[in-house]
Amino acid sequence: MAPAEGMLESRATLGEGRHKFVANRWWSGRAAAQSAAENWPRGTERVDLVALLLLAALTLLYATVVGELARLWANDPYAGHGMFVPAYSALLLWFDRRRLATIPRRREPAGALLVLTALALLALGRWADSIAVQGLSIVIALAGWVLWRFGARRLRAAAFPIGFLALMLPLPRTVVDRITLDVQTFHAGFSSVVLELAGVPHVQRGIYIELPTTTLSVAEGCNGLRFLMALVTLAAAFAQASQRTTGRRLLLVAVAVPLAVVANGLRVSALCLAAYQMGPQAAAGLTHYSIGKALWAGTLAVLGLIGMLLRRGGRSTPPRDA
């Protein structure tokens, strides 16, 4: 019986030790939680609440500007590309949300100055009746809010999605009115050179091209500015997704500008050749539409090819972000 009693006593002692161990673990965990709560920066919750209230106030303040931009995207031929921009920025931020969350957060008071600058720009835009200036203030206000709440490191990490929003703004009508005649004349001259190389008899007078059977004019809708804005926007999105360094991304966007100019010049030239071969009706209707879509598709293909070549050319160097 003696050994059995010893075993019972040892088991009781062991059970008591386990209870004490669990109790000590529980009390130590509670003490750690209390210590963490005491060491948590005071005012953090208050600052977060203020940041959310500021974001809500900015959303309400810019609601009319966003509504005006949406109306322009639907009706202004020089702004149609804009509706693609906010969706793409939001998609980038969503896919990158986990990486952004790992970046340490450090609030920067300078962000508040950026927000105030944006509000001043908003007031200036309303006074000048400029939707472009008001839209630009949205981008600056968003950058300032991110800087104030999350810090410079997160703002740098989200720089492209935020900066990309600037491309949602339409070309100011004053700029379009000032340059459109020169752009039309340039494309008429471009087409004249192509027709000369093709041996087509013609005379160019400003924006007019006189063919033996008809006279064509490079209308405002054919000035290529819409084509240019849309291609630059797509090139920026494609460059961010396909290129490894900032330098190559900027190069791809820069290439999109002359590419758009040449493509639109070729489109006008093709319409002139079609009118010469098929008659004046070829400059409008289905032929006009088909030539335009074919040149657009070809331009995208060339842009994609250039992007692929740039990406392959950068494989010899380790991936990095400039």
Side-chain angles (χ1 to χ4, degrees), residues 68-104:
E68 179 64 17
L69 285 173
R71 186 188 66 80
L72 288 173
W73 296 337
N75 300 290
D76 190 337
Y78 296 101
H81 66 280
M83 64 181 68
F84 159 81
V85 174
Y88 186 72
S89 290
L91 193 65
L92 287 179
L93 291 173
W94 173 258
F95 284 140
D96 209 24
R97 67 190 185 282
R98 290 187 177 86
R99 185 183 70 87
L100 292 173
T102 63
I103 299 175

Side-chain angles (χ1 to χ4, degrees), residues 194-195 198 200 211 216 268-279 282:
V194 174
L195 293 174
V200 176
L211 299 171
L216 303 177
V268 175
S269 302
L271 290 172
C272 292
L273 288 171
Y276 175 72
Q277 294 292 338
M278 304 166 59

Side-chain angles (χ1 to χ4, degrees), residues 126-320:
R126 288 183 174 174
W127 175 78
D129 195 25
S130 172
I131 189 61
V133 175
Q134 296 178 59
L136 181 61
S137 72
I138 295 179
V139 182
I140 297 175
L142 181 59
W145 183 83
V146 171
L147 178 62
W148 179 62
R149 188 181 183 195
F150 298 109
R153 290 185 62 186
R154 287 203 192 182
L155 178 59
R156 284 195 298 270
F160 179 80
I162 295 175
F164 187 68
L165 291 174
L167 291 175
M168 70 181 178
L169 307 178
L171 280 174
R173 195 68 206 187
T174 53
V175 174
V176 173
D177 292 340
R178 183 170 299 179
I179 69 174
T180 188
L181 183 59
D182 293 333
V183 175
Q184 290 170 260
T185 304
F186 169 82
H187 284 299
F190 185 101
S191 300
S192 178
V193 173
V194 174
L195 293 174
E196 187 72 26
L197 294 175
V200 176
H202 71 284
V203 175
Q204 180 207 350
R205 303 182 189 277
I207 65 172
Y208 296 96
I209 299 176
E210 299 177 3
L211 299 171
T213 57
T214 187
T215 298
L216 303 177
S217 66
V218 180
E220 180 182 343
C222 295
N223 61 16
L225 293 178
R226 290 180 294 176
F227 189 85
L228 173 63
M229 289 298 298
L231 191 64
V232 167
T233 301
L234 287 175
F238 177 54
Q240 177 65 18
S242 64
Q243 304 304 312
R244 293 181 173 86
T245 65
T246 300
R248 293 180 186 277
R249 292 166 188 157
L250 293 176
L251 179 58
L252 185 57
V253 175
V255 167
V257 176
L259 184 60
V261 173
V262 171
N264 192 68
L266 291 176
R267 183 176 70 89
V268 175
S269 302
L271 290 172
C272 292
L273 288 171
Y276 175 72
Q277 294 292 338
M278 304 166 59
Q281 69 278 3
L286 181 60
T287 303
H288 183 281
Y289 177 84
S290 300
I291 290 175
K293 294 303 178 184
L295 261 297
W296 173 248
T299 304
L300 291 181
V302 172
L303 182 67
L305 178 61
I306 294 173
M308 291 173 58
L309 293 175
L310 283 175
R311 183 176 176 84
R312 288 184 178 180
R315 285 183 178 177
S316 58
T317 58
R320 66 180 182 86

